Amino acid sequence: MNEQAQIREPQVVEIPDFVTVRQLAALMDVTPIVVIKELMKAGVMANINQQIDYETAAIVAQEMGFEPREETPIAEDVEDEGPTVLWDRLYAAEDPQNLKSRPPVVTILGHVDHGKTSMLDAIRETDVVAGEAGGITQHIGAHQVEHDGRSITFLDTPGHEAFTAMRARGAHTTDIAVLVVAADDGVMPQTVEAINHARAARVPIIVAVNKIDKPTAQPERVKQQLADMGLVPDDWGGTTLCVPVSAKKQIGLEDLLEAILLVADSTEIKANPDRPAVGTVLEGQLERTRGATATVLVQNGTLRIGDTVVARLAHGRIRQMLDEFGNPVEEALPSTPVLILGLSDVPEAGEMFKVVPDERTARAIVAKRQEELDARSAAPVRAFTLDDFSSRIQAGQVRELNLIVKTDVQGSIEPIVSSLEKLGGEGLKVNIIHAAAGNISESDINLAIASHAIVVGFQVYPDAAARRMAENEGVDIRTYEIIYKLIDEVDKALKGLLEPTYVDVVVGEADVRAMFRIPKIGVIAGCYVRSGEARRNARARVLRDGEPLYDGHVASLKRFEQDVREVRTGFECGIGLDGFDDFVLGDVIQFYVKEREKTA
Ligand code: GDP
């Protein structure tokens, strides 16, 4: 063997910021005695359980022929997209060569009583595989059916409320929406809502014209109404597949499944099965015997038993996985729903989950998220407001204003929408996501969150639940009594001219009890803080007999000669005001801050 062949690359050893002698020895696969001796050579006396810092550990490792490296931070995962994954980006990041077809994921939408639930049940009954399995399906939030040897995944919670609530949480689960319209009833308000919600999500729509078994069915009338909504049926030369069906009599269901696969083929529904899984939690449950369980939809990658997953604050190693028939499975491919066991907590529907390398990473991610959550709960979030939009237009960051318009009566929609659509120009425009008559509901707020939209109401108001949700999520609701005012504000926002309105919030009051003239500085008022707090960075007003006679900035705030930032109720302090010296005993100094006015 020649000399050259014996030179090998030093082995890399990853060392954390602090490590005990025992741990360091384990990392290098040597006995602790060797490490202790090496430390002694370097002049460090340490016992086996003693912690040493990275620098010291690195010297020892180097002496022993290793290449020390700071332990790779788990930051990559901790820092990244957080609980929300943008699906577009997720799939876009994949090398096209790794993408393989996956079953389409379908949501059923439509007006109440048009047959959404019946449709799901009927489709389930057509499934041969389910029939062979005994047909006893467990409720796990979604199920798959086979057609022509291919699978289709149906989400079990129909309706646009659930659909958009998921989207508002950042989840994008649905590839295709099946809009159920009863042939005897036609397009109804929730049909329109469903269409707008699906469009906002850019999800293709297939129409199932249901209840064609009824003598009162008028499928042609339904097609006309759909065409009026811009969904022109394919047999009329349009692009919307309209399938006549009867959920009750099991008519046309095969055609519907066929149509779904046809649309799926034209929209490149793919994923990379060869990567750690990511997906969405469909449901979470605490079960007495099994502990925290969750049904999840795998959207990219393959989920396996033994994988460590994180779903927002819940994490754990998957102990068991069950399919929709309650059968244990070893792995779940893209578009497959599975029930997973082994989580620390119950995650909520709509949360993302992802597989991480190990428990340590999982815990670090959860800790980081918890920290962010704590920080955020201190400061209320604002999703998107008209003021923000105005300044972002000015900064050239956005070109489109998404609006959800709610009005008191049907007749007000058209004039408002057409006026709004005329606004803008030079590439700036208003984009009406949804316009309908009726109060502002939770469903509208979810749609606003999901589409970064603002809700404008004309002579309508949010109901209590919607108001609470909007406050929590920071959604801007603007209500108007006069059309002109509504149009004018949106116009101003679009021109980047809308100034946020601020209100003064008093944070404290202090009584002036003495005056001191300080050469070269001016008069300092000796004060007693009687309520709230005196703040150095707040604005201040001097009130004499309740009348303001000065308004300006605090020049100095001191306690016992010390500059301080604030002084609380019951304490004394010295206050100097910018350009004001004429204090008299009994004056009140009022401290206030400007806060952006809350709308709605
Ligand atoms: P959902 O509110 O949209 O989920 O509607 P359901 O599935 O609960 O159905 C509402 C009603 O319509 C029920 O009484 C069903 O039996 C009935 N229904 C659903 N599909 C059909 C159908 O194809 N034909 C007839 N005649 N009735 C149907």
Side-chain angles (χ1 to χ4, degrees):
M1 203 181 284
N2 64 29
E3 280 286 310
Q4 281 291 313
Q6 287 192 11
I7 299 172
R8 34 178 202 108
E9 290 287 306
Q11 201 186 329
V12 171
V13 57
E14 290 197 6
I15 304 171
D17 284 354
F18 287 95
V19 64
T20 64
V21 170
R22 189 198 299 274
Q23 286 163 343
L24 181 61
L27 286 174
M28 297 185 292
D29 205 15
V30 298
T31 67
I33 300 296
V34 181
V35 175
I36 291 172
K37 279 190 187 156
E38 206 57 53
L39 279 165
M40 280 165 76
K41 273 199 245 164
V44 179
M45 303 305 251
N47 66 41
I48 187 162
N49 291 318
Q50 199 158 329
Q51 263 200 345
I52 52 174
D53 60 15
Y54 172 80
E55 279 72 26
T56 313
I59 292 168
V60 172
Q62 219 157 13
E63 285 301 315
M64 295 181 62
F66 286 87
E67 185 184 325
R69 253 190 230 158
E70 278 185 77
E71 193 175 65
T72 30
I74 7 191
E76 194 233 327
D77 246 325
V78 184
E79 299 279 342
D80 73 0
E81 66 281 304
T84 306
V85 180
L86 292 170
W87 296 110
D88 299 349
R89 213 176 73 209
L90 182 80
Y91 291 123
E94 296 289 348
D95 181 342
Q97 285 185 345
N98 298 332
L99 291 172
K100 298 205 173 74
S101 283
R102 62 179 171 85
V105 181
V106 179
T107 299
I108 308 238
L109 308 177
H111 193 73
V112 65
D113 280 346
H114 278 198
K116 298 182 290 295
T117 315
S118 309
M119 188 79 68
L120 274 167
D121 292 344
I123 288 169
R124 205 182 241 137
E125 281 166 29
T126 63
D127 192 29
V128 213
V129 180
E132 283 167 1
I136 309 161
T137 45
Q138 318 274 311
H139 183 81
I140 66 161
H143 67 278
Q144 286 192 321
V145 298
E146 295 263 328
H147 180 77
D148 277 353
R150 295 168 65 185
S151 295
I152 302 172
T153 305
F154 284 89
L155 297 181
D156 286 340
T157 316
H160 61 271
E161 289 87 354
F163 170 80
T164 300
M166 280 265 182
R167 290 219 310 125
R169 310 200 65 158
H172 197 314
T173 48
T174 303
D175 300 306
I176 296 170
V178 168
L179 179 71
V180 177
V181 187
D184 58 337
D185 208 18
V187 168
M188 297 299 280
Q190 286 170 34
T191 317
V192 177
E193 222 168 278
I195 293 171
N196 291 335
H197 282 231
R199 278 181 173 158
R202 297 201 172 86
V203 168
I205 299 171
I206 295 173
V207 182
V209 182
N210 191 30
K211 306 198 187 182
I212 51 151
D213 59 292
K214 282 192 152 187
T216 47
Q218 288 182 279
E220 291 305 304
R221 187 180 76 115
V222 174
K223 285 187 187 172
Q224 183 58 58
Q225 292 173 326
L226 290 166
D228 292 343
M229 291 284 307
L231 293 176
V232 183
D234 59 327
D235 50 352
W236 288 17
T239 54
T240 305
L241 297 182
C242 285
V243 189
V245 295
S246 164
K248 194 170 177 175
K249 296 269 160 78
Q250 304 251 3
I251 303 168
L253 298 175
E254 299 287 329
D255 297 338
L256 181 61
L257 298 179
E258 197 69 49
I260 291 169
L261 291 175
L262 211 65
V263 172
D265 287 339
S266 65
T267 41
E268 294 256 316
I269 294 171
K270 292 182 169 177
N272 172 13
D274 301 315
R275 51 156 286 157
V278 286
T280 299
V281 174
L282 298 175
E283 282 172 11
Q285 246 171 336
L286 188 63
E287 293 183 26
R288 212 154 44 90
T289 51
R290 300 198 281 199
T293 67
T295 60
V296 300
L297 177 71
V298 177
Q299 295 185 275
N300 204 8
T302 298
L303 187 63
R304 294 192 174 83
I305 291 192
D307 279 348
T308 300
V309 296
V310 182
R312 211 164 86 115
L313 301 179
H315 66 100
R317 256 190 92 200
I318 298 185
R319 216 168 55 224
Q320 210 188 351
M321 294 204 288
L322 302 169
D323 67 11
E324 67 245 52
F325 307 114
N327 299 320
V329 287
E330 292 289 318
E331 57 174 35
L333 291 161
S335 296
T336 311
V338 275
L339 180 78
I340 59 173
L341 276 68
L343 292 179
S344 60
D345 289 296
V346 180
E348 276 181 47
E351 282 170 0
M352 308 294 161
F353 79 88
K354 64 176 171 186
V355 168
V356 296
D358 49 31
E359 266 297 310
R360 190 175 73 100
T361 314
R363 278 197 300 271
I365 290 175
V366 170
K368 171 111 193 207
R369 286 182 184 169
Q370 185 67 57
E371 235 171 66
E372 282 171 2
L373 206 67
D374 294 346
R376 226 182 313 144
S377 60
V381 285
R382 291 192 78 93
F384 196 56
T385 68
L386 206 58
D387 305 336
D388 292 339
F389 175 79
S390 194
S391 40
R392 287 177 61 188
I393 274 263
Q394 232 171 3
Q397 292 167 333
V398 285
R399 313 292 298 162
E400 248 183 36
L401 172 59
N402 290 340
L403 291 182
I404 291 163
V405 180
K406 296 303 290 273
T407 63
D408 54 346
V409 290
Q410 192 73 23
S412 321
I413 300 176
E414 209 281 320
I416 292 175
V417 166
S418 64
S419 306
L420 286 172
E421 281 174 343
K422 280 191 207 110
L423 300 177
E426 290 169 24
L428 299 175
K429 70 181 185 98
V430 170
N431 187 16
I432 313 270
I433 302 267
H434 175 57
N439 272 341
I440 298 162
S441 66
E442 273 182 296
S443 174
D444 296 320
I445 304 301
N446 268 325
L447 185 59
I449 300 168
S451 332
H452 296 285
I454 284 150
V455 184
V456 292
F458 174 65
Q459 300 200 340
V460 288
Y461 300 92
D463 58 36
R467 184 188 301 273
R468 211 173 313 120
M469 185 173 193
E471 265 167 28
N472 289 341
E473 302 289 340
V475 170
D476 198 358
I477 303 179
R478 303 250 166 170
T479 54
Y480 303 88
E481 294 293 320
I482 305 165
I483 293 189
Y484 162 75
K485 185 102 172 96
L486 186 162
I487 308 294
D488 186 51
E489 275 209 18
V490 174
D491 187 36
K492 278 195 181 135
L494 211 55
K495 289 178 175 145
L497 295 175
L498 195 68
E499 293 293 333
T501 39
Y502 287 96
V503 283
D504 297 347
V505 177
V506 174
V507 294
E509 285 186 329
D511 294 328
V512 176
R513 292 188 165 176
M515 279 83 69
F516 311 96
R517 179 165 291 278
I518 316 268
K520 290 199 190 118
I521 290 180
V523 177
I524 297 298
C527 296
Y528 170 81
V529 181
R530 67 155 129 133
S531 69
E533 55 185 32
R535 285 195 204 161
R536 171 73 181 78
N537 61 0
R539 287 179 67 92
R541 273 193 286 256
V542 178
L543 305 180
R544 189 166 297 161
D545 303 324
E547 291 296 319
L549 52 95
Y550 165 87
D551 190 339
H553 291 280
V554 179
S556 68
L557 179 65
K558 284 181 196 272
R559 254 182 80 66
F560 304 117
E561 308 293 314
Q562 290 265 328
D563 282 313
V564 289
R565 284 207 288 186
E566 72 256 319
V567 178
R568 275 176 287 151
T569 310
F571 291 93
E572 294 184 332
C573 57
I575 299 170
L577 296 180
D578 231 8
F580 185 83
D581 278 349
D582 310 323
F583 296 103
V584 301
L585 287 183
D587 278 353
V588 173
I589 302 178
Q590 197 173 57
F591 296 84
Y592 71 97
V593 291
K594 290 195 173 289
E595 275 185 9
R596 190 140 76 173
E597 191 174 32
K598 286 203 177 68
T599 51

